[in-house]
Amino acid sequence: MSDLNPLIWPHSVTRVKGEINIGGCSVTSIAAKFGTPIFILDESDLKSRATIWQKSLQETFQEHAGDVFYAAKAFVSVEVAKMIKELGLNIDVCTGGELAVVAAANFPGERIEMHGNNKSETEIAQALDYGVATIVVDSLQEIERVSRLAGLQGKNQQIVIRLNPGVEAHTHEYITTAIEDVKFGFSIASGAAWSAVTEIAKSPNLRLVGVHSHIGSQIFSSEAFDATAVKLLEFLKRYKDENRVELPELIIGGGFGIAYVESDQPISPGNLLRQIHKVVLTNCERLGLSIARFSIEPGRAIIGPAMVTLYKVGTTKEIKLKDGATRLYVAVDGGMSDNIRTSLYDADYTAVLANRDSIATKRDCRIVGKHCESGDVIINSILLPSDVEPGDLIAVAATGAYGRSMASNYNHVPRPGVIAVQSGMARTIIRSETTSDLLALDIAEGAKPIGERS
Ligand code: LLP
């Protein structure tokens, strides 16, 4: 049986003569050419997932289908923004930095939406200058700022209001964003959402077109989205009753779960959207609303499974456990600086010995990094061939979302680059950092990387 579950690994992954190939490129040739650690993006996998979300939304909601906004926070580079642009999806950015990257890809402003709970005036002005179609407002101060800055530019800016529907998605508590005690959105229950709508109505520079909500991450079923849709539609009904017009846009956010390990059972985009569509139809009818344009913001579900991280094993160490069992610590050349999700969220991943087949029996291993911290763990417990040794390559699956995008320089470790592979070709889309990059921001006279000292 293959150890490469197609629900977890990118579509093009195979074993050829014992060695993992991605996009037709062998991992040893990738390691030799680009070094490790390195993020490997299966370009056609990314494109097919993006297309499936786009098609599923259109087929399910038909004339009421809005946009698929790819959530750039999961991962973005100029090349990836170009791919998303060419596939016809829209994009969601939440900082000036993300906007700068998509602008470098000439992403059309009319297909960009800007999020963020604390956008600076500079970021708002940049969005207005660039012609960002929609700004999602998240505080009363921000409503005032967008209104004032749009006024200065003589613009009437389209906005959507981020609502907190009070729905708690069942996922890890640190990444749940829609319970009451959180920083995001205007609470519907407390009346804050309605005050925001009243404020917006006073501004001649703002045009409110709809409501938005994002309820959490790594959600596997439709119930939480269904409940959210109902809350948002009830809010739209109140708006209609009080204003005698309807708001046309409904954005349900992202958070659609993916399989990191065998036990994860994500619902397919088609099934998920069909279920939500049913709820939207029934409730629009119940509330006497026309059906709003329905949009989504998947990040992880598009980029997550499309990328793999390739590491090289540096050391192994056998540890005796209290119960008499043993565990093999396998230390690789990256760690919490390129994957913080295990230590931050207790996230699970799967990995394989990538450069060779092994008939050795499998044993319990813990894959750890090179950082000076015991919590520097990539996978807590995984079965790997017992003969895994220094120099071997380890591939960790489904690291595309919130891996490179949350990477840091902890311990002054350079962040890995990203290569895109397809049809036997590999190209760099983000180069790996070097010691010179680390020193580039350090203002000290004469600071030069080791080896460049005179
Ligand atoms: N839309 C909004 C407004 C969001 O805040 C997010 C994620 C998304 C869409 C995309 O969610 P996705 O489909 O990628 O789950 N760093 C965490 C997740 C935090 C996500 C924050 N917002 C992680 O590594 O799991």
Side-chain angles (χ1 to χ4, degrees):
M1 204 183 79
S2 166
D3 53 354
L4 301 165
N5 181 336
L7 281 179
I8 299 174
W9 293 86
H11 295 146
S12 73
V13 167
T14 52
R15 267 199 197 267
V16 180
K17 296 192 186 124
E19 188 185 348
I20 299 278
N21 274 227
I22 309 175
C25 303
S26 77
V27 287
T28 44
S29 67
I30 289 172
K33 184 159 177 201
F34 299 98
T36 55
I38 192 87
F39 286 96
I40 306 169
L41 168 66
D42 180 342
E43 202 168 324
S44 59
D45 184 287
L46 162 67
K47 290 179 178 166
S48 78
R49 286 177 207 277
T51 306
I52 286 170
W53 279 99
Q54 178 91 318
K55 268 194 163 168
S56 303
L57 183 69
Q58 283 161 0
E59 283 169 15
T60 316
F61 279 79
Q62 301 204 357
E63 71 270 31
H64 308 298
D67 305 301
V68 177
F69 292 93
Y70 170 66
K73 56 183 76 67
F75 173 77
V76 77
S77 71
V78 178
E79 279 300 300
V80 164
K82 280 187 189 162
M83 293 174 204
I84 295 293
K85 174 176 79 169
E86 274 147 32
L87 291 166
L89 276 74
N90 288 11
I91 209 155
D92 134 24
V93 297
C94 67
T95 61
E98 286 180 2
L99 178 60
V101 173
V102 307
N106 283 323
F107 211 99
E110 64 268 20
R111 286 164 51 194
I112 305 176
E113 168 198 61
M114 187 169 216
H115 273 290
N117 71 303
N118 184 17
K119 305 168 190 79
S120 68
E121 296 215 1
T122 305
E123 288 172 317
I124 295 169
Q126 284 165 346
L128 291 164
D129 284 341
Y130 195 72
V132 162
T134 309
I135 297 182
V136 183
V137 294
D138 195 313
S139 70
L140 290 175
Q141 289 97 335
E142 192 189 7
I143 291 170
E144 184 280 321
R145 287 173 199 154
V146 179
S147 169
R148 175 165 42 81
L149 295 170
L152 286 178
Q153 295 197 9
K155 284 193 173 151
N156 180 250
Q157 177 62 37
Q158 172 168 298
I159 61 168
V160 159
I161 180 173
R162 179 161 180 171
L163 299 180
N164 181 348
V167 172
E168 182 183 354
H170 291 282
T171 179
H172 198 285
E173 66 178 309
Y174 298 139
I175 47 178
T176 297
T177 53
I179 49 176
E180 284 294 315
D181 192 9
V182 287
K183 67 175 183 169
F184 291 109
F186 294 96
S187 148
I188 299 180
S190 73
W194 199 253
S195 311
V197 167
T198 313
E199 241 6 79
I200 293 165
K202 292 182 195 156
S203 168
N205 311 322
L206 301 178
R207 188 164 28 94
L208 180 65
V209 295
V211 291
H212 167 280
S213 186
H214 172 80
I215 53 165
S217 296
Q218 200 42 5
I219 304 168
F220 286 122
S221 68
S222 79
E223 285 90 8
F225 293 110
D226 298 346
T228 302
V230 172
K231 297 266 187 180
L232 297 186
L233 290 170
E234 285 169 350
F235 190 81
L236 291 178
K237 160 75 170 153
R238 174 166 179 194
Y239 187 93
K240 180 184 177 188
D241 288 348
E242 303 216 6
N243 294 277
R244 312 217 164 278
V245 283
E246 292 191 42
L247 294 176
E249 304 280 341
L250 175 64
I251 310 175
I252 204 96
F256 314 115
I258 62 165
Y260 287 99
V261 290
E262 302 277 335
S263 54
D264 292 334
Q265 302 284 328
I267 181 169
S268 75
N271 286 344
L272 178 80
L273 291 170
R274 269 189 291 281
Q275 174 57 31
I276 304 175
H277 181 243
K278 239 193 267 167
V279 171
V280 169
L281 282 193
T282 318
N283 283 278
C284 284
E285 201 181 301
R286 171 175 73 85
L287 297 164
L289 290 171
S290 343
I291 301 159
R293 270 182 95 245
F294 182 87
S295 299
I296 52 174
E297 300 167 343
R300 181 190 327 260
I302 290 177
I303 196 78
M307 267 201 229
V308 161
T309 313
L310 188 67
Y311 299 101
K312 188 174 279 173
V313 176
T315 58
T316 58
K317 194 182 277 182
E318 185 163 293
I319 304 288
K320 280 205 170 70
L321 305 175
K322 273 193 189 128
D323 59 5
T326 58
R327 173 182 286 136
L328 190 66
Y329 274 68
V330 177
V332 296
D333 50 358
M336 66 196 299
S337 56
D338 57 71
N339 188 347
I340 191 68
R341 297 192 70 260
T342 306
S343 38
L344 192 58
Y345 309 127
D346 215 6
D348 264 342
Y349 284 91
T350 194
V352 292
L353 177 62
N355 54 309
R356 62 186 172 92
D357 254 340
S358 168
I359 50 160
T361 47
K362 292 199 168 175
R363 64 173 300 182
D364 185 30
C365 295
R366 177 165 290 171
I367 302 181
V368 296
K370 62 182 278 117
H371 294 277
C372 286
E373 187 154 331
S374 347
D376 174 27
V377 173
I378 297 172
I379 303 183
N380 262 302
S381 175
I382 182 155
L383 291 176
L384 288 178
S386 51
D387 62 352
V388 59
E389 60 181 7
D392 274 337
L393 298 174
I394 298 283
V396 179
T399 56
Y402 309 105
R404 182 57 175 75
S405 75
M406 290 175 81
S408 75
N409 287 127
Y410 183 37
N411 292 148
H412 278 79
V413 170
R415 290 176 301 172
V418 182
I419 60 161
V421 292
Q422 181 161 264
S423 312
M425 306 285 283
R427 65 194 171 107
T428 302
I429 62 170
I430 295 184
R431 74 163 168 79
S432 295
E433 284 177 337
T434 62
T435 318
S436 303
D437 293 316
L438 299 178
L439 278 167
L441 302 178
D442 200 316
I443 311 299
E445 218 163 301
K448 284 184 185 163
I450 294 169
E452 286 181 27
R453 293 200 192 124
S454 51

